[in-house]
């Protein structure tokens, strides 16, 4: 609960400070709000609609706290309704059976992004977190809303507020100055693309993890967020769309303006999410 408590207490201070007008206390509070543990403040250029975004994808440990709450409040059946469908890992060659058993529950994967959940389950997590953050406020006081980012909000964060950024970092290269990849994605060497029967075939020796990595492994830059590109493709509020590409996608899908679509509820080993928090 540490992350949640920090956010709650800071937002409470912001709500009280707003009453004071443009005092030094207000300005200091606003500065502090921009560097929350686990969240970062994203001001809109037009002065409207600023919000906080989770600096990383929601982790297994974050989600386990939610499932525990559901079990405490509603019993085993309520918890089961929001549990990740870990059986989806069995579709992945070689590592699938191991990941099905260990990825969600083992402490070694606590900082990895939660996957195998549906769009509806991601929204249920948002609803739960919103309730936690609002439980200290009486009706009519500060109101906090938590939801998935809209596609527009997601792109705004990824682009660092600029319409010209191709990726969630400066420049158009998938590599940094040290020659290392900036994200966890399916890196295809041109030498591995061969022609066969008038079709382009991707040969072996692809570079990439072929599974998600810890949410702290790559800092993709924009607004101090990580993994806006790669690792897991992220749900947005509009159903049927993910952004950012995943560990199993080529570099094209890491572009800020590119989206991917999914069928049904979207549960996949490649899909995760992050949240935005608004203070009203």
């Amino acid at each position: 609960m540490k992350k949640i408590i920090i956010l709650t207490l800071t937002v409470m201070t912001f709500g009280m400070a707003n009453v004071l007008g443009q005092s030094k206390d207000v300005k200091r509070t606003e500065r502090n709000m921009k560097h929350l543990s686990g969240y970062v403040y994203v001001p809109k250029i037009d002065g409207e609609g600023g919000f906080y975004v989770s600096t990383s994808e929601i982790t297994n440990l974050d989600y386990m706290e939610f499932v525990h709450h559901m079990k405490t409040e509603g019993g085993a059946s309520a918890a089961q309704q929001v549990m990740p469908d870990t059986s989806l890992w069995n579709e992945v060659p070689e590592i699938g059976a191991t990941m099905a058993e260990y990825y969600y529950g083992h402490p070694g994967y606590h900082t990895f992004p939660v996957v195998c959940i549906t769009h509806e389950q991601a929204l249920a997590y948002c609803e739960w977190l919103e309730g936690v953050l609002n439980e200290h406020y009486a009706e009519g006081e500060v109101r906090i809303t938590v939801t998935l980012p809209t596609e527009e909000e997601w792109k705004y964060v990824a682009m660092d507020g600029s319409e010209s950024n191709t990726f969630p970092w400066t420049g158009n290269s998938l590599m940094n100055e040290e020659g290392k990849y900036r994200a966890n994605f399916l890196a295809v060497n041109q030498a591995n693309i061969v022609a066969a029967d008038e079709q382009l075939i991707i040969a072996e020796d692809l570079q990439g993890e072929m599974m998600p990595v810890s949410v702290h492994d790559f800092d993709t830059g924009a607004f101090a967020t990580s993994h806006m590109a790669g690792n897991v493709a992220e749900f947005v509020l509009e159903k049927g769309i993910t952004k950012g590409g995943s560990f199993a996608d080529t570099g094209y899908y890491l572009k800020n303006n590119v989206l991917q679509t999914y069928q049904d509820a979207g549960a996949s080993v490649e899909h995760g999410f992050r949240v935005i928090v608004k203070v009203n």
Side-chain angles (χ1 to χ4, degrees):
M1 293 289 290
K2 182 177 180 182
K3 180 191 299 183
I4 296 172
I5 291 172
I6 291 173
L7 178 60
T8 303
L9 293 180
T10 311
V11 171
M12 185 183 297
T13 303
F14 177 72
M16 295 171 63
N18 254 346
V19 179
L20 302 177
Q22 294 301 313
S23 66
K24 292 182 179 179
D25 288 338
V26 171
K27 294 178 181 179
R28 182 172 63 249
T29 300
E30 289 175 345
R31 286 197 300 271
N32 291 340
M33 291 281 277
K34 296 177 183 178
H35 301 287
L36 296 175
S37 175
Y39 294 84
V40 64
Y41 184 66
V42 179
K44 294 297 287 286
I45 293 176
D46 58 11
E48 299 180 0
F51 54 86
Y52 302 87
V53 61
S54 52
T55 54
S56 71
E57 298 142 343
I58 299 302
T59 66
N60 283 322
L61 187 60
D62 293 328
Y63 199 81
M64 288 168 67
E65 184 179 12
F66 163 53
V67 173
H68 175 74
H69 169 86
M70 295 298 289
K71 184 175 182 179
T72 301
E73 295 296 318
S77 61
Q80 189 60 40
Q81 290 179 10
V82 295
M83 278 288 291
D85 181 5
T86 57
S87 69
L88 294 174
W89 277 110
N90 291 318
E91 302 173 9
V92 180
E94 298 183 6
I95 66 170
T98 301
M99 291 297 98
E101 182 176 359
Y102 292 110
Y103 183 85
Y104 176 67
H106 193 279
Y109 295 99
H110 277 176
T111 63
F112 285 53
V114 66
V115 295
C116 301
I117 60 168
T118 67
H119 186 267
E120 288 77 8
Q121 288 171 323
L123 289 175
Y125 176 91
C126 294
E127 183 179 358
W128 164 76
L129 182 57
E130 181 177 300
V132 171
L133 297 179
N134 280 294
E135 63 185 4
H136 297 292
Y137 300 108
E139 186 175 351
E141 292 184 331
V142 172
R143 178 66 187 173
I144 300 169
T145 58
V146 182
T147 188
L148 298 175
T150 64
E151 184 187 2
E152 179 183 359
E153 289 167 336
W154 192 99
K155 286 198 301 182
Y156 188 84
V157 175
M159 291 181 173
D160 202 15
S162 170
E163 290 292 333
S164 61
N165 286 0
T166 302
F167 298 104
W169 51 75
T170 302
N172 296 321
S173 176
L174 290 167
M175 291 184 174
N176 60 22
E177 294 78 6
E178 300 174 350
K180 296 181 179 180
Y181 286 113
R182 293 180 179 269
N184 178 24
F185 70 106
L186 183 64
V188 182
N189 189 310
Q190 292 296 320
N192 291 331
I193 303 178
V194 297
D197 298 327
E198 299 183 352
Q199 294 183 341
L200 292 179
I201 305 296
I202 299 177
E204 298 180 356
D205 300 324
L206 303 179
Q207 301 180 53
E209 296 292 339
M210 293 310 297
M211 64 172 287
V213 295
S214 170
V215 298
H216 305 301
D217 278 11
F218 289 88
D219 181 3
T220 52
F223 289 112
T225 55
S226 63
H227 292 294
M228 294 293 292
N231 214 32
V232 292
E234 300 179 11
F235 290 128
V236 292
L237 190 59
E238 297 89 342
K239 190 172 179 180
I241 296 174
T242 60
K243 297 288 295 184
S246 76
F247 64 88
D249 294 314
T250 57
Y252 171 78
Y253 294 100
L254 274 58
K255 294 182 177 181
N256 296 328
N257 280 320
V258 173
L259 61 81
Q260 291 170 283
T261 59
Y262 61 85
Q263 302 296 321
D264 303 320
S268 167
V269 300
E270 301 174 21
H271 295 167
F273 71 104
R274 73 182 66 225
V275 302
I276 62 169
V277 179
K278 295 182 179 179
V279 182
N280 302 313

